[in-house]
Amino acid sequence: MIKPTPNPPLADDVSPYEFPDSKKLNDAADRALDHYLKPLNLKSPAPRKPSTMFFVSPDMKDEDLLAHACESLASASVMTSDFAGYLEGPHRHTAMAIQQIVMLAELAVNRMLDNVEVPKALPRS
């Protein structure tokens, strides 16, 4: 048995602006979606102003900075190793792992320090 069904009405172009306030609502929805979905960095970020509590002078030589970093890492390695002596079990393993990472960083800084060319002294006249 064939059941007659009415044909659906022809689809008219549906506009989101059927009602007088619908354009305002659509604009508000677009602004809200843009606010949450568009990337935030469309504008250039504000320039970063570093804290001046701890300040490294910009005229410091690379060799001096590397030497200081090497000494700081050596101190951190010794302190972590000493601290690990007071711990047991997994906490000791964690402290020793931290000490090893610091030691590897110290080796990298030492290698960089070895690669820094020391400026030759000017000949005395």
Side-chain angles (χ1 to χ4, degrees):
M1 170 175 181
I2 298 176
K3 182 176 180 184
T5 57
N7 290 333
L10 294 175
D12 293 333
D13 290 337
V14 178
S15 170
Y17 311 117
E18 291 179 11
F19 302 106
D21 290 337
S22 62
K23 179 156 176 47
K24 288 181 183 177
L25 291 173
N26 192 40
D27 290 343
D30 286 342
R31 283 193 310 273
L33 289 172
D34 289 347
H35 175 75
Y36 288 106
L37 299 179
K38 281 193 176 179
L40 296 177
N41 57 0
L42 292 177
K43 299 176 185 175
S44 61
R48 182 178 174 274
K49 184 179 177 195
S51 170
T52 56
M53 179 180 264
F54 302 104
F55 182 75
V56 177
S57 177
D59 60 345
M60 289 285 296
K61 297 177 186 172
D62 291 343
E63 185 178 10
D64 295 337
L65 292 169
L66 285 170
H68 182 73
C70 182
E71 291 171 2
S72 296
L73 288 168
S75 298
S77 178
V78 169
M79 287 187 297
T80 309
S81 180
D82 289 346
F83 180 66
Y86 295 108
L87 301 174
E88 294 179 4
H91 297 294
R92 177 180 170 82
H93 297 301
T94 302
M96 292 304 291
I98 293 170
Q99 189 267 338
Q100 186 176 15
I101 291 169
V102 170
M103 184 181 65
L104 291 172
E106 180 187 1
L107 288 172
V109 170
N110 272 325
R111 174 63 63 177
M112 186 63 202
L113 193 56
D114 291 341
N115 293 339
V116 170
E117 290 186 26
V118 179
K120 296 179 182 178
L122 295 174
R124 294 184 185 192
S125 18

